[in-house]
Amino acid sequence: IPRPPNAFLLYRSDFLKRRTIPREVEKRQQNLSRIIGECWNLLSTEEKAVWHEKAAAATAAHQAKYPHYKFRPTRR
């Protein structure tokens, strides 16, 4: 069962779907994540609050779908 996405993951997913940075300019996920992280840090508190609300809704939906889910990381 996948973990529910947090606010940053939802923001990153939306950022990539909108193709703010065209694939011709940058293809490497490592660089895209760095750029998106910098953009995330530049967002205002109000803008981040929108993504935190979406993350809370995603978590509630995940909880409804998997009521007995508990994150248990596995040791490598």
Side-chain angles (χ1 to χ4, degrees), residues 57-70:
T59 301
H62 185 273
Q63 182 66 29
K65 189 172 181 182
Y66 307 107
H68 300 293
Y69 172 80
K70 182 177 179 183

Side-chain angles (χ1 to χ4, degrees), residues 29-72:
Q29 291 296 317
Q30 178 183 10
N31 293 335
L32 288 171
S33 291
R34 183 179 46 80
I35 293 166
I36 295 168
E38 291 173 6
C39 292
W40 172 258
N41 289 331
L42 294 175
L43 289 179
S44 68
T45 307
E46 294 81 21
E47 291 172 319
K48 284 184 182 181
V50 172
W51 292 104
H52 285 289
E53 290 172 10
K54 290 180 181 182
T59 301
H62 185 273
Q63 182 66 29
K65 189 172 181 182
Y66 307 107
H68 300 293
Y69 172 80
K70 182 177 179 183
F71 176 63
R72 294 183 189 104

